[in-house]
Amino acid sequence: MSMQSLISIAADLSWPFAITLAWVVGEFGHRWTGLPRISFYGVIGFVLAQTQVGVLPQTDAGPMLVLADVAFGLILFEVGYRINLRWLKNNPWIAVTGLVESLLTFAVVYFIGIEFGSTSMTALLLASLAMSTSPATIMRVINEERSSGQVTERIVHLTALNCVLAVFTFNIIVGFWMFQSSTDLIEASSSSAAVLAASMAAGTVFGIVVPAMLRRLGNMAQDATVAFALSVMLLVALTYTTSLSPLLATLTFGLVARHRRVAFSQAQRNFGALGELLTVLLFVYAASTLEWASVTAGAGLALAVVGGRLLTKVVGVAAFSHVSGISWRKGVLTGVALTPVSVFIILLLEHARQHGVNFGDELNALAAITLGLELIGPVLVQRVLMLAKETHEIKER
């Protein structure tokens, strides 16, 4: 075989090799250290992407982003499915908490960006992304630890609120970015709002149609997992074709499906083996998009943003802890658990690039934030759940 053939074969095997290696390292790493598996997935993805021989090909290729979106879509569906609107109606202080801590985070991160010499537009983008919490990290650790309780449910609900607010804010700011030369801010905002509204509408239609179909078929407990997984894949493909937001569409799909009263049992968390496989792919892919040069270039601003963001989320949640029905301690723990942001940020930026918005080196700090929280974020969430005594092992003692 020629050298060219060997290189071609190696390129074809690079992603399967990386995903398999990450899974093996994650399993052994979790067994030996007790740390979350996804922290190890991120390490492998980042290390392989930095090698001089180029173990992983360029991640701008469409298929990997589509697979990552499907993986993230399954997670967002599960997040949306766990949102209890009746609980939010009976205890509106939870929604108030999410809104206040998100806006507080936006304001503080914006001023931090300005203080570090960022342009106003860059600071706005950084602030909008900093509002978010990574549902992939949250759900993976919760499922891995099999945790349940007040802190766990508040983390899930606040994560969903953070994501929705971040998607709305980010898309509107990107709209301004794209139309700033024409100074037509009304056109920019209306275009972004239309995309977001259409994305939610698509998710709503799926959330109504799929449960109705399952009712007609009967035997929902057995068929629901496959039906929902295939529906998420179809919804992601549809949003790509129509240039909508797969993130917002799949989150809405889960939320509406939950309130159509279709059973989704405990055994089906994380969509079983399919969800496990795609989760490994998602975290390897996310870490592989980062470059060491960008990480080091934005390290100073990143540390300031992480510190400011952690402070605002802890203060914002703890301030409303008593009126929302939990202790100060659990409020602080919930705020700390909202630290992870990595995968959510990467996919939002990748979608912006797909639509022709290239930020260049202006958001280098995000690479450093993402790498740091890709590794530390899952550990913080795990420790919070343990301190709250809501993990399965602690409850069994």
Side-chain angles (χ1 to χ4, degrees), residues 197-207 235 238-239 242 244 249 252-253:
S199 301
M200 294 180 68
T204 300
V205 170
F206 271 69
L235 182 56
L238 178 64
T239 56
T242 54
L244 300 179
T252 305
F253 176 23

Side-chain angles (χ1 to χ4, degrees), residues 228-246:
F228 282 137
L230 290 173
S231 299
V232 167
M233 293 179 190
L234 179 59
L235 182 56
V236 169
L238 178 64
T239 56
Y240 264 86
T241 303
T242 54
S243 298
L244 300 179
S245 169

Side-chain angles (χ1 to χ4, degrees), residues 13 65 109 130 147 172 195 216 226 240 246 261 302 319 326 369 388 391:
L13 293 175
L65 180 57
V109 172
S147 66
I172 290 172
V195 169
R216 292 296 300 271
V226 174
Y240 264 86
R261 303 185 187 283
I326 58 174
I369 294 170
T391 61

Side-chain angles (χ1 to χ4, degrees), residues 115 120 147 152 160 170 181 254 258 297 308 311 332 373:
E115 285 297 314
S120 179
S147 66
T152 301
F170 178 78
S181 58
R258 154 73 180 258
L311 178 63
V332 170
L373 296 183

Side-chain angles (χ1 to χ4, degrees), residues 1 11 16 33 47 60 62 72 121 126 148 170-171 176 186 218 220 222 224 239 244 255 273 277-278 290 348-349 391:
M1 296 180 68
T33 67
V47 170
D60 292 335
F72 202 56
M121 187 60 70
L126 188 62
S148 60
F170 178 78
N171 277 276
F176 290 162
I186 295 177
M220 289 191 298
Q222 295 178 15
T239 56
L244 300 179
L255 177 63
L277 172 61
L278 289 177
L290 306 176
L348 277 180
L349 290 176
T391 61

Side-chain angles (χ1 to χ4, degrees), residues 15 18-19 22 41-42 44-46 49 56-69 71 240 278-290 343 346-347 349-351 353-354 374:
W15 278 107
I19 293 168
Y41 301 160
I44 295 300
F46 181 74
L56 292 179
Q58 291 295 317
T59 54
D60 292 335
M64 287 308 301
L65 180 57
V66 173
L67 286 173
D69 271 323
Y240 264 86
L278 289 177
T279 297
V280 180
L281 180 150
L282 174 63
F283 280 89
V284 172
Y285 170 81
S288 71
T289 63
L290 306 176
V343 174
I346 287 170
L347 292 183
L349 290 176
E350 287 299 318
H351 281 292
R353 291 191 185 99
Q354 291 283 317
E374 180 90 6

